[in-house]
Amino acid sequence: LHIGNYLESNRDECSVSLIYAVHLKKPGSISFEYQYEDNNVFFEFFIQNDQCQEMDQNSDKKWIKLTSNGEWRTHTVGLKSGTNIMYWRTTGIMVGAKVVKPVLLKNIQIEGVAYTSECFPCKPGTFSRSPGSSSCELCARDTYSGRGASSCTACDQDTHYSAEGSALCKIKPPCTKKDYFQIHTPCDSQGKTQIIYKWIEPKICLDDVEGSVALPPSGEREPCPPCNPGFYNNDTATCSPCPAGTYSDGVKACQPCPAGTEPALGYEYKWWNVLPGNMKTSCFNVGNTKCDGMNGWEVAGDHIRSGAGGSDNDYLILNLRVLGFKLPTSVSGTSGTEFGRISFVFETICSADCELYFMMDVNRKSTNVVESWEGSKERQSYTHVMTKNASVSYTWAFQRTNQAQDVRQYVNDMVKIYSITVTNALDGVAPSCRACALLTQQSGSSCVPCPAGYYIDKVTNQCQECPPDTYLTGHQIYGKEACLPCGPGSKSNKEHSMCYSDCSFTHTEQNQTLVYDFSALGPVGSIMNGPSFTSKGTKYFHLFNISLCGTEGQKAAVCSDNVTDLSHKDPQSPEAAELANSVQTFICQSTIIPSDGRGLRASLSSQSISLADTFLGTAVESTLDGVTARPDLFPETSKKVPDVNFFYRSPQVTSSCESGRHAVVTLRCNPEKSSRGELSVPSQCPAGTCDGCSFHFLWESSSACPRCTEADYHEIEGACKGGVQDTLYVWNEHRLCTGGVSLPEKKTWPCEAIDFWLKVGAGVGAFCAVLLVSLTCYFWKKNKRLEYKYSRLVMSANKECELPAADSCAIMEGEGDGEELEDEVVYSNKPSLLGKLKAIATKVSFREERRFLLRFILGSLNFSCSTVC
């Protein structure tokens, strides 16, 4: 699309190409200027010959580098003699609903082409001062020209106007409220300021016609706000920074820091009477020069806000320059990664598609977008941590709309920044003082740096080492409470700067201790899920790289945000880690466009983000430090071994994640998997997240099982063969352990053969059988004798009707005594076992027989006598 003096690519995800063929008489070159600000667009430039074969070209020439907002960069490539077919191709990736920013091209110049014999007339809005000029010039503002003009004609400035490069003049409309803006005047000598209103320049409306509005009167003069902290006011209209070693809250005079403290250098801008000396503002537009020289931002007392600009699609720029960072003396010896931080409070008020960009340029290399916000946003705070000690330029760029329009519609859309705070600034001032460590407790002792991992004792103001498994957060080391405990399953490094996992974990449950060793899962694991498709049908994948434990807290997962041929390059290789646009962390994500997805010759990688900058801890519980695992997102397990969760957090706040991103990696014991196992994401959330902020992964592996103990196997005794018996050890059924103890070796024991015991048992059985037969015969013989005695008694009872005397009835004296004598003879000597049994049986049975016979005989005699009588 041709717009004004540049070409613009499309704003959707379609692939578009600009093709130009040229025949060179000799080797030459091509150069062009471009703007390429959105990393959601892939911009490539390549050259083919007349056989459609791509010329040899390194990746630096083929893939165009990003530019910062409003920056035009020149790209030059050498050309060979002969036919050269040049391609400019853009491919947008709209994974979300965000519209991509187009690529802009202008000033394409080719050297090595034979001279031309024909000149072309200048298009309307441009002119040529002399025939045969190499280029046409744009008509200035409030002038116009037709085709082939040699000069521009002025418009009637009382009733008409025109933009730069116009082909005609337009009538000025009546002025409205959108044609003026308000500003705060600088403090005067009396310390007063007021609100005044100004017309937007250039003024393209009429305020003296029917229906127009007049410029509002200026406001009343009010007292100026106080100085910012670290500055003081000596009864003048200006604020001056406090001298070195002193501090001020902006209201009181500067004072020296008390003993045992040092100045806390930095910037704290919260009153906006004048623009601070290390800040500047500007206005820029890609397609015109309307706002060149204008202030992009205006101070407004308690805030600074975007200015009017010249067009609604202007970039309104605010820049803050920090020369570097200086750590406080007490923490200069620490090994932390935070050198400083910048925080600002802002809000956006928009009726269109406005956007605020926060950008950063380190050591003046390239400006990168740190974060952006679209549309209206309520008052909120944003913080960015500096992990590198370097010179930094922070930039805020506000654009009301990205659509170019001649008529102003959104001039009242604005952004307000209420405060900007920078800590540990090298060239900063001191809004306050902070405690420092002293060499001795003597008066006048100077501040000294504490070694890494030490805090300042509040009583002695001397350095003390933090307890084991604690870490220091940031550079706040005053008091023992600055040493924060590490999470469960983690330990601190020697410098107490971070907590990490050594890939081991112990869990006690129901008097059973489970010991885990995840070292096999320590190397970086990757998972690429998908494919997914955008609304235009572009196929893409999400690539996740996971470094479960790292190396004593060193993050090993790398995601590169540049073009990568995945079939030939390893994303975890050192070459990938050294790339400029890369992320190195515990867990990172990249969006991959396969080579067959859009007819590309290489797979593309973009939108690399960090999901896990900080390791929180390891636990079998589902919640840790505000981060919650979601076991319901994965299939249930029938194993009795609990899942182990690794919790991570990325504190970097985004527009959609106010608390930053966080991730949970769930390790599940599965003996059927290999030691490296298999990574997966929830089926209902194929991107690994259901809300864009919480990411969940399941890692099934045999290495996720606890280490084996003696309770995980049992012994089996073998049969006795040849006087030898074996004892074997086997794992329990459904083994759910790995490593640990090994199975004991087979043990062999001497034993007696089973035939011997069979013989013993047979002998005992035969003896018992003989004894039983003998006893049976004996009692049978005894029974016969009793029957005989009974028959004799019955016979004698039938002969006599009278009852016999009690002492002579039933049994004869001699017979009874004889029997008793027989019984007593049994016990006269030491009997054998058989004899004892026989005597006991005889004695018991004889007594019972006698009692029975007496009762029976007496009963029979009574019955017989009664019958006879």
Side-chain angles (χ1 to χ4, degrees):
L1 179 64
H2 180 262
I3 300 178
N5 59 349
Y6 61 88
L7 295 172
E8 179 182 293
S9 68
N10 58 326
R11 297 173 180 266
D12 56 23
E13 61 177 341
C14 292
S15 293
V16 294
S17 298
L18 174 66
I19 305 174
Y20 185 78
V22 64
H23 187 79
L24 300 185
K25 297 296 185 181
K26 61 179 182 179
S29 64
I30 179 174
S31 64
F32 56 89
E33 296 182 44
Y34 70 94
Q35 279 194 11
Y36 173 32
E37 303 169 356
D38 193 344
N39 61 1
N40 292 317
V41 178
F42 294 107
F43 182 25
E44 58 179 328
F45 173 74
F46 58 95
I47 306 169
Q48 293 182 350
N49 57 20
D50 54 358
Q51 302 296 322
C52 294
Q53 296 174 339
E54 187 171 342
M55 302 283 194
D56 293 335
Q57 193 175 353
N58 57 39
S59 58
D60 292 338
K61 298 297 183 181
K62 178 180 178 180
W63 298 100
I64 311 300
K65 296 181 179 180
L66 288 169
T67 63
S68 58
N69 287 71
E71 176 190 4
W72 286 98
R73 184 175 294 180
T74 301
H75 188 76
T76 303
V77 179
L79 300 176
K80 296 181 179 180
S81 59
T83 301
N84 292 265
I85 306 174
M86 290 157 284
Y87 292 81
W88 292 264
R89 174 182 285 182
T90 61
T91 303
I93 307 300
M94 295 175 60
V95 176
K98 185 177 180 179
V99 177
V100 298
K101 299 189 67 174
V103 174
L104 308 182
L105 285 178
K106 70 175 184 179
N107 295 339
I108 301 176
Q109 298 182 4
I110 302 176
E111 295 182 358
V113 183
Y115 69 90
T116 178
S117 59
E118 182 181 0
C119 291
F120 299 94
C122 293
K123 65 180 182 179
T126 62
F127 71 99
S128 175
R129 299 181 185 274
S130 60
S133 299
S134 59
S135 61
C136 299
E137 301 179 41
L138 291 175
C139 288
R141 183 185 295 123
D142 293 332
T143 63
Y144 70 99
S145 70
R147 180 180 177 84
S150 58
S151 63
C152 299
T153 304
C155 299
D156 184 355
Q157 296 187 3
D158 294 332
T159 58
H160 291 75
Y161 75 98
S162 69
E164 185 181 35
S166 297
L168 50 85
C169 297
K170 298 180 180 179
I171 299 177
K172 290 183 177 182
C175 291
T176 65
K177 293 182 178 180
K178 296 182 179 180
D179 293 309
Y180 63 83
F181 63 98
Q182 69 175 27
I183 62 171
H184 282 66
T185 62
C187 282
D188 55 21
S189 59
Q190 298 178 353
K192 300 286 185 178
T193 183
Q194 66 179 147
I195 296 176
I196 62 174
Y197 296 87
K198 290 185 176 182
W199 293 111
I200 295 174
E201 297 293 340
K203 184 181 178 183
I204 58 172
C205 64
L206 299 176
D207 59 352
D208 56 355
V209 297
E210 184 179 356
S212 63
V213 298
L215 201 64
S218 300
E220 297 182 359
R221 297 172 69 244
E222 299 177 351
C224 292
C227 294
N228 283 308
F231 293 82
Y232 71 101
N233 189 335
N234 290 335
D235 297 328
T236 62
T238 59
C239 295
S240 302
C242 287
T246 63
Y247 75 100
S248 172
D249 59 359
V251 178
K252 300 178 182 179
C254 300
Q255 301 176 4
C257 288
T261 64
E262 60 180 331
L265 298 180
Y267 292 109
E268 186 179 351
Y269 298 138
K270 60 181 182 179
W271 300 111
W272 303 93
N273 179 39
V274 294
L275 195 66
N278 61 342
M279 298 185 72
K280 63 180 181 179
T281 177
S282 60
C283 180
F284 174 81
N285 192 295
V286 175
N288 58 65
T289 59
K290 289 182 181 180
C291 70
D292 290 357
M294 292 185 178
N295 287 332
W297 293 64
E298 301 287 349
V299 294
D302 63 344
H303 67 274
I304 184 172
R305 62 184 179 185
S306 53
S311 304
D312 285 346
N313 65 333
D314 292 342
Y315 285 104
L316 306 175
I317 309 297
L318 178 66
N319 181 267
L320 169 63
R321 185 75 181 172
V322 179
L323 297 181
F325 297 90
K326 179 183 179 181
L327 295 177
T329 303
S330 299
V331 297
S332 59
T334 62
S335 60
T337 58
E338 178 182 337
F339 289 91
R341 59 177 59 194
I342 179 172
S343 303
F344 58 93
V345 179
F346 72 98
E347 70 171 331
T348 56
I349 306 171
C350 302
S351 59
D353 56 337
C354 72
E355 188 163 7
L356 172 66
Y357 300 90
F358 174 61
M359 299 172 290
M360 183 175 65
D361 180 7
V362 179
N363 290 332
R364 297 187 177 183
K365 290 185 177 181
S366 63
T367 302
N368 298 314
V369 176
V370 178
E371 190 56 77
S372 63
W373 298 267
E374 295 182 358
S376 295
K377 298 295 180 183
E378 296 181 352
R379 184 167 175 169
Q380 57 186 274
S381 175
Y382 179 81
T383 300
H384 179 74
V385 177
M386 288 299 302
T387 58
K388 184 178 181 180
N389 190 2
S391 174
V392 183
S393 177
Y394 299 106
T395 301
W396 293 264
F398 179 70
Q399 188 180 39
R400 293 183 170 90
T401 179
N402 57 17
Q403 303 294 329
Q405 297 175 347
D406 292 336
V407 180
R408 302 295 301 273
Q409 295 182 348
Y410 311 113
V411 69
N412 291 325
D413 292 0
M414 68 180 70
V415 57
K416 296 180 179 180
I417 295 181
Y418 295 93
S419 65
I420 300 176
T421 303
V422 181
T423 63
N424 301 332
L426 179 64
D427 54 343
V429 293
S432 61
C433 297
R434 58 180 294 165
C436 67
L438 300 178
L439 183 62
T440 64
Q441 292 185 271
Q442 298 178 356
S443 177
S445 178
S446 59
C447 295
V448 295
C450 286
Y454 284 67
Y455 67 93
I456 303 175
D457 186 82
K458 290 184 177 181
V459 178
T460 63
N461 266 39
Q462 292 182 325
C463 301
Q464 299 289 338
E465 186 176 6
C466 283
D469 295 334
T470 61
Y471 70 100
L472 290 169
T473 173
H475 294 296
Q476 174 54 41
I477 65 170
Y478 189 63
K480 189 175 182 179
E481 59 272 15
C483 303
L484 302 179
C486 292
S490 64
K491 58 178 64 176
S492 62
N493 58 359
K494 295 180 181 179
E495 295 80 13
H496 294 275
S497 61
M498 65 177 66
C499 297
Y500 69 96
S501 170
D502 59 356
C503 278
S504 64
F505 178 68
T506 303
H507 171 65
T508 303
E509 185 178 45
Q510 298 179 351
N511 297 327
Q512 182 182 7
T513 300
L514 302 178
V515 179
Y516 296 85
D517 182 8
F518 304 125
S519 56
L521 305 178
V524 176
S526 299
I527 175 175
M528 182 181 290
N529 66 322
S532 300
F533 297 89
T534 64
S535 58
K536 296 286 186 179
T538 300
K539 181 169 66 173
Y540 67 93
F541 298 84
H542 282 306
L543 173 66
F544 298 95
N545 291 325
I546 300 177
S547 174
L548 192 67
C549 306
T551 306
E552 291 195 2
Q554 300 300 319
K555 309 157 191 176
V558 177
C559 292
S560 58
D561 193 21
N562 68 331
V563 180
T564 306
D565 185 357
L566 298 180
S567 61
H568 296 88
K569 291 185 179 180
D570 181 7
Q572 305 302 322
S573 63
E575 293 80 9
E578 295 176 358
L579 295 172
N581 299 324
S582 63
V583 176
Q584 187 168 4
T585 181
F586 285 109
I587 305 176
C588 59
Q589 171 193 299
S590 293
T591 301
I592 306 298
I593 311 298
S595 58
D596 59 348
R598 300 294 291 272
L600 304 172
R601 288 164 303 283
S603 298
L604 307 182
S605 171
S606 84
Q607 301 175 350
S608 296
I609 59 175
S610 172
L611 307 179
D613 295 321
T614 304
F615 174 66
L616 301 179
T618 307
V620 297
E621 292 78 17
S622 58
T623 301
L624 178 64
D625 196 14
V627 180
T628 302
R630 292 284 305 277
D632 56 297
L633 296 177
F634 299 100
E636 295 184 0
T637 177
S638 58
K639 308 295 189 298
K640 296 181 180 179
V641 177
D643 293 341
V644 180
N645 300 312
F646 277 64
F647 296 87
Y648 304 88
R649 173 178 285 129
S650 178
Q652 195 67 44
V653 176
T654 65
S655 57
S656 57
C657 302
E658 297 181 356
S659 300
R661 300 184 181 93
H662 48 267
V664 180
V665 180
T666 300
L667 304 185
R668 176 170 293 176
C669 172
N670 191 339
E672 299 176 359
K673 301 291 185 179
S674 64
S675 59
R676 285 291 295 166
E678 180 180 349
L679 273 165
S680 62
V681 294
S683 57
Q684 57 267 50
C685 305
T689 176
C690 298
D691 58 4
C693 300
S694 302
F695 291 79
H696 303 273
F697 305 91
L698 177 65
W699 200 333
E700 294 184 273
S701 166
S702 59
S703 300
C705 298
R707 295 178 65 83
C708 297
T709 63
E710 288 78 1
D712 293 307
Y713 64 83
H714 62 278
E715 64 179 26
I716 298 178
E717 293 186 355
C720 185
K721 294 182 180 180
V724 177
Q725 184 181 21
D726 293 335
T727 301
L728 301 177
Y729 297 89
V730 296
W731 295 110
N732 297 336
E733 190 176 2
H734 304 299
R735 177 187 173 187
L736 296 175
C737 66
T738 183
V741 300
S742 302
L743 283 177
E745 297 292 335
K746 180 180 68 173
K747 295 182 179 180
T748 302
W749 305 88
C751 65
E752 295 183 4
I754 193 171
D755 294 342
F756 170 78
W757 293 107
L758 284 176
K759 293 177 181 178
V760 173
V764 173
F767 172 77
C768 293
V770 172
L771 178 61
L772 181 61
V773 171
S774 302
L775 292 175
T776 302
C777 294
Y778 171 76
F779 285 115
W780 177 81
K781 182 179 180 182
K782 195 74 172 178
N783 186 49
K784 288 296 184 179
R785 184 180 300 173
L786 289 173
E787 288 181 357
Y788 171 73
K789 292 179 180 181
Y790 171 72
S791 62
R792 289 184 59 189
L793 287 174
V794 173
M795 291 175 62
S796 62
N798 290 334
K799 293 180 179 180
E800 299 177 4
C801 289
E802 295 182 0
L803 293 172
D807 57 351
S808 62
C809 183
I811 303 176
M812 305 301 284
E813 262 185 24
E815 295 176 354
D817 294 338
E819 292 297 328
E820 290 180 1
L821 289 174
E822 285 183 15
D823 296 336
E824 290 175 359
V825 172
V826 176
Y827 297 96
S828 59
N829 296 320
K830 292 183 179 178
S832 64
L833 178 61
L834 181 60
K836 288 183 178 180
L837 292 175
K838 179 178 178 182
I840 294 172
T842 303
K843 194 170 185 178
V844 173
S845 59
F846 179 76
R847 290 175 181 172
E848 293 297 328
E849 290 172 1
R850 187 168 60 181
R851 293 192 187 99
F852 173 74
L853 289 174
L854 286 173
R855 288 195 297 268
F856 182 77
I857 294 171
L858 291 176
S860 300
L861 291 175
N862 291 335
F863 175 77
S864 300
C865 292
S866 62
T867 302
V868 173
C869 295

